[in-house]
Amino acid sequence: MYEEYSQRLTELERLLANSPADYTLRHEMATVLYRRASEARSVTRDHGPILTTSRQRELCREAGRRILDLQVNDPELETSARELLATVENGDRWVWQPAGPAALSVAAFFLGGLGLVLLSMASGSIPLAVASALLSSALLAVVILRCRRQQWRVEADQKYPLIQHHGI
């Protein structure tokens, strides 16, 4: 179905280029955009849609924006487009995963590194202070890179075993 919707969109874009004010074409295009975005998403066993890939997210973002730009005055379709955009935007948030161990690691490496730098400076050892600062910074970077993830990836990983149909 996704491919059929994509082909129909190509036809509609061509037709709309010749008749940009045609409400029927704009409404059909908005409908096809939404259907294609719906078809592109993954679906869990309980039939809930979920975004599991970057491509799905970009397609839903584009569909939501284009539907609203078409100004079709269809409240249901516009609400659906806003929901698509809200889903994508909520997934953009960065979260700590797992939150507790990540926060503990960040605090430990920061305070430990700061303590080592202060001790080495108090003893007059500049090379040890530099080494302590570099090591603690490197460890902090590792924790951040491994534990800070976008919300959509966390949700996709959690619901992966429940996915019945993988979208595009």
Side-chain angles (χ1 to χ4, degrees):
M1 289 295 282
Y2 174 82
E3 298 300 326
E4 292 170 20
Y5 290 135
S6 295
Q7 289 172 356
R8 183 63 183 148
L9 273 177
T10 303
E11 294 169 19
L12 287 169
E13 286 169 346
R14 188 175 29 80
L15 293 170
L16 209 56
N18 295 328
S19 303
D22 188 332
Y23 174 80
T24 306
L25 286 176
R26 287 193 347 256
H27 191 272
E28 184 180 355
M29 181 176 231
T31 303
V32 172
L33 280 164
Y34 182 74
R35 287 181 180 160
R36 184 176 78 152
S38 295
E39 191 69 29
R41 293 182 283 182
S42 297
V43 179
T44 61
R45 282 187 223 147
D46 61 354
H47 305 290
I50 183 170
L51 299 176
T52 56
T53 66
S54 296
R55 186 168 179 218
Q56 289 173 6
R57 291 172 42 75
E58 286 309 310
L59 195 133
C60 287
R61 183 185 322 249
E62 175 193 354
R65 286 181 182 157
R66 288 181 70 187
I67 291 167
L68 294 175
D69 288 345
L70 287 167
Q71 300 177 343
V72 292
N73 292 329
D74 181 336
E76 185 177 330
L77 200 50
E78 289 173 354
T79 298
S80 297
R82 285 188 187 92
E83 287 172 359
L84 279 176
L85 290 172
T87 301
V88 172
E89 288 171 11
N90 288 337
D92 285 341
R93 289 183 303 119
W94 288 88
V95 294
W96 291 97
Q97 188 66 21
L104 272 166
S105 298
V106 166
F109 292 141
F110 176 76
L111 293 174
L114 183 61
L116 282 174
V117 169
L118 291 175
L119 281 173
S120 58
M121 290 302 289
S123 68
S125 176
I126 301 292
L128 184 57
V130 170
S132 299
L134 290 175
L135 179 62
S136 65
S137 296
L139 290 172
L140 278 172
V142 167
V143 170
I144 290 169
L145 291 173
R146 289 193 41 83
C147 297
R148 194 144 187 254
R149 302 178 65 208
Q150 284 185 302
Q151 181 65 36
W152 74 270
R153 288 189 187 273
V154 172
E155 290 173 7
D157 288 346
Q158 288 171 346
K159 292 190 178 179
Y160 187 80
L162 304 175
I163 293 176
Q164 180 178 0
H165 165 72
H166 293 276
I168 62 165

